[in-house]
Amino acid sequence: MNIFRQAAAGVIGFVLSMASAAVAQDASDRAAALAAWDDIHAVVSHPRCTNCHVGPSGLPLWEGLERGETLGKELVHGMNVRADDSRIGAETMPCRTCHISAASANSVPHAPPMIADAWRLPPIEMTWKGKTSAEICVQLRDPDRNGAFTPEELSDHVGTSAFVAWGFDPGAGRAAAPGSIPEMQEALAIWVAGGTPCVGDP
């Protein structure tokens, strides 16, 4: 082999080596991102979240959580409460009738929780109840179905939303969503850095 062929072979070998390393790094990032998604899904699929992230029925739930005998069973919110199409109960009895928009420690058992925001159900496009992990994953990376956030903006939303904060600290002995806001933000950062992959992606 002459010197030119040796040089060409060296260049090709280097390029292939770099490409192989890049593929390995991408695979590693994707694996870490999918593992982070599992942590995210553990939160968004928890009844503390899915009780309000319900579909077109507009019926918030009291599923399990504080009532051991009903754990895992679907229990509709009492008082025949319906959020309806408005998602705030404007057609019947507004959520704010009981859930007053004011910051509160929510330390009184069985009292309606309060936060410094108008209590409401999320939009229908943000339904999580009854969906698979992959379906919610695809939904959360789609600004048309996640509240108009880019994946990168989801972390800021988690850090500033009074609803999210309440979910991790609902007070009065209520079961909280697993983890914490910083842990959720860390998982989101890893998921975003790995390209927001979802199981089943091509």
Side-chain angles (χ1 to χ4, degrees):
M1 182 181 294
N2 63 36
I3 189 171
F4 297 108
R5 288 181 178 175
Q6 287 179 330
V11 170
I12 292 172
F14 175 75
V15 170
L16 290 176
S17 176
M18 293 297 291
S20 178
V23 169
Q25 183 60 50
D26 287 346
S28 177
D29 290 346
R30 175 180 168 79
L34 287 172
W37 170 255
D38 287 340
D39 293 336
I40 296 167
H41 181 252
V43 174
V44 300
S45 63
H46 188 273
R48 181 55 66 207
C49 300
T50 59
N51 279 352
C52 288
H53 280 264
V54 295
S57 70
L59 294 174
L61 304 174
W62 281 350
E63 182 183 347
L65 298 176
E66 295 79 47
R67 301 170 177 80
E69 71 277 7
T70 62
L71 188 62
K73 297 180 181 178
E74 188 169 292
L75 184 64
V76 176
H77 191 299
M79 289 79 76
N80 196 33
V81 166
R82 301 182 63 93
D84 295 307
D85 291 340
S86 68
R87 311 303 276 182
I88 62 169
E91 300 85 345
T92 50
M93 180 175 68
C95 302
R96 66 176 179 271
T97 302
C98 298
H99 294 275
I100 299 168
S101 300
S104 171
N106 294 309
S107 57
V108 180
H110 310 301
M114 298 185 293
I115 60 172
D117 200 344
W119 202 269
R120 59 193 180 276
L121 294 190
I124 293 172
E125 293 79 15
M126 295 173 66
T127 299
W128 297 342
K129 177 69 178 176
K131 291 194 173 184
T132 66
S133 174
E135 288 172 332
I136 299 174
C137 182
V138 171
Q139 178 188 28
L140 273 188
R141 67 187 183 189
D142 179 2
D144 290 335
R145 294 187 293 154
N146 73 3
F149 297 105
T150 65
E152 293 79 7
E153 291 169 338
L154 287 173
S155 181
D156 288 338
H157 169 63
V158 166
T160 59
S161 167
F163 282 102
V164 175
W166 177 80
F168 285 108
D169 184 20
R174 299 181 182 92
S180 66
I181 288 176
E183 289 172 336
M184 184 70 164
Q185 290 178 312
E186 181 180 1
L188 283 167
I190 295 170
W191 182 57
V192 170
T196 64
C198 299
V199 173
D201 282 348

